[in-house]
Amino acid sequence: MIAFVLSAGLAGLAGGTKAIVFQLASLTDVHWGMSGEVILDDADRRIGTIFGPVVGAVFFVTLENYLAQLGSWVQVVQGVIFVICVIAFRRGIIGELARVLKRPL
């Protein structure tokens, strides 16, 4: 319950801050797909690393920008790439890199 309340509070704070900074509160920010995007962003990161969340966020934002020309197929292609990454990188991108380098990152 505490985690849920903290999560909701921080999400509200982030949304309020975004609305103040951009002086805009659009309906795309509250669409159900946005919550799915947040879950997708969190699922690809390895817990316990410092660089995992940064690499995961940069990877998916960059991927979304490159795939923008596909229009409505962006989410389908991004989902397929996500499934491939989950299967190929069982420890996450940073976890697999640390395994190859034989040291924790």
Side-chain angles (χ1 to χ4, degrees):
M1 180 67 132
I2 292 172
F4 177 74
V5 171
L6 284 174
S7 172
L10 289 175
L13 179 65
T17 304
K18 181 183 181 257
I20 290 171
V21 169
F22 291 116
Q23 297 182 354
L24 172 73
S26 67
L27 290 177
T28 41
D29 294 335
V30 295
H31 188 263
W32 64 269
M34 184 60 70
S35 63
E37 186 176 323
V38 171
I39 291 171
L40 181 68
D41 286 345
D42 289 340
D44 70 323
R45 299 171 190 151
R46 183 173 182 263
I47 297 173
T49 63
I50 295 172
F51 301 112
V54 175
V55 170
V58 168
F59 177 73
F60 274 103
V61 168
T62 304
L63 181 68
E64 191 173 291
N65 288 335
Y66 279 117
L67 296 177
Q69 63 189 358
L70 297 177
S72 61
W73 284 92
V74 170
Q75 292 178 337
V76 174
V77 175
Q78 195 174 20
V80 169
I81 292 172
F82 174 73
V83 169
I84 292 170
C85 285
V86 167
I87 292 171
F89 305 117
R90 300 301 277 175
R91 297 176 184 97
I93 296 171
I94 294 296
E96 291 296 331
L97 184 62
R99 184 183 61 86
V100 169
L101 296 175
K102 306 274 190 228
R103 57 181 244 199
L105 295 177

